[in-house]
Every structure is written in C-alpha cells, then in structure tokens.
Amino acid sequence: MREGWEYKKLGEMAKISSGKSIPASEIFDNFSEGLYPCYGGNGIRGYVGHYSNDGLVPVIGRVGALCGNVHLPNEKFYATEHALVVNLKTNDKPHFIEYLLSSLNLRQYAKGVAQPVLSASTLSEIPIPVPPLPVQERIVSELDLLSSIIEKKKAQLKEYDQLAQSIFYDMFGDPVMNEKGWEVKKIGELSLEMRYGTSRPACEDGQYNYLRMGNLTNEGYLNLKDLKRINIPESEIEKCLVRKGDVLFNRTNSLELIGKTCLFDLDEPMVIAGYLIRVRFNETILPLYFTRLFNLSEIKKKLRSMAKGAVNQANINAKELASITIPLPPLSLQQSFAEKIEAIERQKELIKQSIAEAEALFNSRMDYWFN
C-alpha cells in the first residue's frame, strides 16, 4: 500500500444501480436536437428523448460478453438495463474511478456461465485502493495525456483511409456512374478461378493458420488477433489455400457485413473457411484495385441489394459474384493507383507501430498505479 492510500469498498464511495429498460422503438440511431445518448453494455447504442444521469458517471456493462466494460459519459445520458451506473457519493475524481475500474477485470466478479451477470451488490463489496485527491489528479492527467496521444494517432489512420478513398475517386470516378467511360467487365471474365474454403473444423494443434469470416474487417483488412489452426489432407490443400495476391470475399454473413473483401498480402499461405471465396485474377486487373473498389460504399450498397437468404444470414455465391460488372481502367492507371496506396499503407504502418508503443506505455502506467 502506497503512503497516503487507503482501501475502501466501492459501495462506500458510490451508489451502484442498474439502468432501466427502454422499448427499442424509442431508441433512434442518429443524434438530433432533444435526444440524449443511450448507454448499454458497450457504450452508446443509440439516442433517446430523456435522460437518467447527468454526466461524468461511470457506466459498467453488466451482462454477457460485454460484462465489465467501463465507460464515462461526459453529458446527460440514459442507462439501459444492460448497464450498471456508479454514482459517486464522495469527492473522488470520476476519471480516476473510470481508470481504476478499467484496471480491475470486473468480469471476474460476474456470476453465471452461459450468461454472466454483474450485480450491484457484488461490485459494492469490492475493495479498491484510493489515493488522496492530488494523487488522483496526477494519475488522471498522466493517463489522459497518453489516451489523447493514442486517439490522435488513430485519427491519423482514419485520415489516411479517407485520403486513399479520395485518390480512388479522383483517378477512377464513381464506380456505379462510370462517368469516365471505362471498359466494363464481369468479375468472372477477369478471374482465373473462384473457390470456396473448407468446412472442416479448427483444431488446437493444426498445421495451418485458419482464416474465418471474422478475420476480415468491414474496412477491407485482415485481422489476425483471433486466428485458429486447422489440419487439411494433402489432397484438399490447394483447393482452400490462400496465397499472397489472392482476394478474399465473405459470401455469407449478416446483411450489414455481407461482401467483406480484402487482399491477402502475407507471405505465409493460410487456409480459408467455407464462408469465404478465394478469387485469383488474370493480368488485366490488380487485386489491390479490385479490393479498394469493393470497399467503397457504393459497391457495398450494391452487394447488400443483391444478397439473399434469411434475415440474419445473407448470401452471395460465387456464380452471383462472377456476374457482377465493374469498371476496368487501364492497367497502367491501376498500377499508378497501387503505388500511391502502397505509400499510404507504409505511412499507416509507422503510425500503427507508434500506437502500439503508446498503448504499451499506457498499460505499463496502469499497472504501475493500480497493480
């Protein structure tokens, strides 16, 4: 225990209570005047016409996978039944309490297996270390600064993505209107092959890394954080192996996520799951051009309009994908575009590295103060 710090039960410092349910019909997707943010277990889930709390009140997710998430609204807000609200009874700093609660792994206090739930009574009994107010202010100042640096760097990444999209429109125009009059081709005419992945299950000691639809982001990139392994018989491996330069297309997903598309640009081949289509193109189209094209909002809208299936399971099969027509600019122009995008991606990698370093420092300081 540091000098001047003391342990208190969270319930001594704050009144902890559950939010209240609200009909889905009263929750709006977008903010407009007279509405307040509505917090569930994972932050803002929409906007409503009245509020239950008046800002700088920590909110904790209390149910399921979002159990233990901590947020700190800075304005009037409404809390749903999926959130616990921590109303401080003392002069302790709300931002300090937010950081402290985030460090505690609150999910460990949840009860239930299939649907873990955090209760107000359980959280009220948790002992937490509390320093004097000047120390709280110093901790908040330090962690806020690091958080601000991280957020600014993440904003830079978004700006580079916007620049890449702007370059696409400048060079090729609107892909649906095709006002520049490019030649139009069916995807099937441009591809050497289209193959589905395997339906075999993952296994812990598999020989190959296994890409599933969750490994493709909605922005068109690979996400390898939750990568599984798989074994495939030698006779089947070439049918479902993805190599550098292949394009991956998510053929089955929710309607909002159908058609996620990314370029596989790694040196190590991987196996793909059956909900993905591997596309290999001929020499008239660059995979990078195609990938950037298919991540434009106009194309995503087109894919959603042609998807079929159940409400929560839309589908676009290989035959339907092959029938889609796209503008085909000259290869030299595609190559010029690719050079610009590759330069942008190099800058983004430098920023991602600096974000990782800043996050490591932030985590280190969190450990220093709270562990």
Side-chain angles (χ1 to χ4, degrees):
M1 173 70 70
R2 291 186 173 91
E3 184 179 353
W5 291 46
E6 59 180 323
Y7 273 99
K8 294 181 180 179
K9 290 182 178 180
L10 186 55
E12 296 177 52
M13 303 174 61
K15 178 183 178 182
I16 305 172
S17 57
S18 294
K20 303 295 182 182
S21 62
I22 186 169
S25 59
E26 295 183 20
I27 303 177
F28 301 91
D29 291 336
N30 299 309
F31 173 78
S32 63
E33 189 174 352
L35 296 181
Y36 303 93
C38 177
Y39 277 77
N42 196 32
I44 298 175
R45 57 167 295 195
Y47 299 87
V48 297
H50 55 286
Y51 65 92
S52 58
N53 296 88
D54 197 1
L56 289 184
V57 178
V59 175
I60 302 170
R62 61 176 292 268
V63 181
L66 306 176
C67 202
N69 286 359
V70 181
H71 306 277
L72 185 65
N74 61 2
E75 58 186 325
K76 294 175 180 177
F77 68 95
Y78 187 90
T80 73
E81 76 277 16
H82 294 108
L84 290 170
V85 181
V86 183
N87 280 289
L88 290 175
K89 298 184 289 187
T90 63
N91 292 325
D92 294 286
K93 302 298 180 182
H95 288 89
F96 169 79
I97 299 300
E98 176 201 12
Y99 285 127
L100 174 60
L101 293 176
S102 297
S103 74
L104 292 178
N105 182 23
L106 295 175
R107 187 181 176 84
Q108 66 180 304
Y109 299 102
K111 297 179 180 179
V113 179
Q115 184 79 326
V117 177
L118 273 175
S119 70
S121 59
T122 298
L123 287 186
S124 294
E125 294 300 312
I126 297 175
I128 59 174
V130 183
L133 288 179
V135 178
Q136 292 185 28
E137 292 171 351
R138 193 166 83 241
I139 292 172
V140 168
S141 178
E142 178 184 308
L143 296 177
D144 277 354
L145 176 60
L146 289 171
S147 296
S148 174
I149 291 171
I150 293 168
E151 289 307 310
K152 286 178 181 178
K153 290 180 181 296
K154 288 181 177 179
Q156 283 183 293
L157 290 180
K158 291 181 180 180
E159 289 170 0
Y160 271 117
D161 285 336
Q162 292 168 357
L163 174 60
Q165 190 173 93
S166 177
I167 291 173
F168 185 99
Y169 286 121
D170 287 344
M171 295 183 70
F172 305 121
D174 185 303
V176 175
M177 300 298 293
N178 193 22
E179 69 271 16
K180 297 200 176 188
W182 306 121
E183 181 182 13
V184 174
K185 290 278 190 178
K186 291 182 178 180
I187 294 174
E189 298 178 82
L190 302 172
S191 63
L192 299 172
E193 66 171 24
M194 293 185 183
R195 286 189 180 274
Y196 297 138
T198 181
S199 58
R200 290 179 178 271
C203 57
E204 288 190 10
D205 58 348
Q207 181 180 358
Y208 297 96
N209 282 320
Y210 190 26
L211 289 173
R212 300 163 299 153
M213 60 183 181
N215 296 121
L216 275 62
T217 73
N218 202 35
E219 293 75 33
Y221 296 97
L222 286 172
N223 179 358
L224 305 181
K225 288 184 178 179
D226 184 25
L227 198 60
K228 303 295 184 181
R229 304 285 294 184
I230 191 171
N231 282 322
I232 297 290
E234 199 65 30
S235 59
E236 298 179 21
I237 189 63
E238 283 303 322
K239 297 178 183 179
C240 52
L241 204 65
V242 59
R243 301 184 185 279
K244 191 171 187 176
D246 290 343
V247 170
L248 299 178
F249 178 84
N250 184 193
R251 68 184 180 93
T252 304
N253 210 318
S254 66
L255 189 60
E256 293 76 19
L257 299 177
I258 190 73
K260 290 190 295 182
T261 305
C262 80
L263 173 64
F264 186 80
D265 57 357
L266 304 178
D267 292 321
E268 177 192 357
M270 297 185 185
V271 169
I272 57 170
Y275 287 144
L276 302 178
I277 299 176
R278 180 190 74 193
V279 185
R280 288 181 178 161
F281 286 105
N282 63 31
E283 69 282 356
T284 63
I285 183 171
L286 293 184
L288 189 146
Y289 163 76
F290 178 85
T291 302
R292 294 290 171 159
L293 170 69
F294 258 52
N295 277 285
L296 297 178
S297 59
E298 295 90 340
I299 301 298
K300 286 179 177 287
K301 183 178 180 180
K302 181 176 181 179
L303 292 172
R304 288 193 295 269
S305 70
M306 65 182 291
K308 59 185 180 181
V311 174
N312 294 321
Q313 197 78 340
N315 183 72
I316 298 174
N317 62 37
K319 183 177 180 180
E320 291 164 332
L321 177 61
S323 70
I324 298 173
T325 58
I326 61 172
L328 185 66
L331 186 60
S332 59
L333 195 62
Q334 295 180 46
Q335 290 168 335
S336 177
F337 171 72
E339 290 171 1
K340 292 178 172 61
I341 297 303
E342 287 164 0
I344 287 174
E345 290 300 322
R346 286 194 294 272
Q347 291 301 312
K348 285 177 60 179
E349 285 303 314
L350 294 175
I351 294 172
K352 288 177 183 178
Q353 182 179 345
S354 66
I355 289 174
E357 293 169 353
E359 288 178 335
L361 179 56
F362 177 87
N363 292 332
S364 173
R365 299 307 294 169
M366 285 281 284
D367 286 341
Y368 173 81
W369 287 116
F370 301 123
N371 293 327

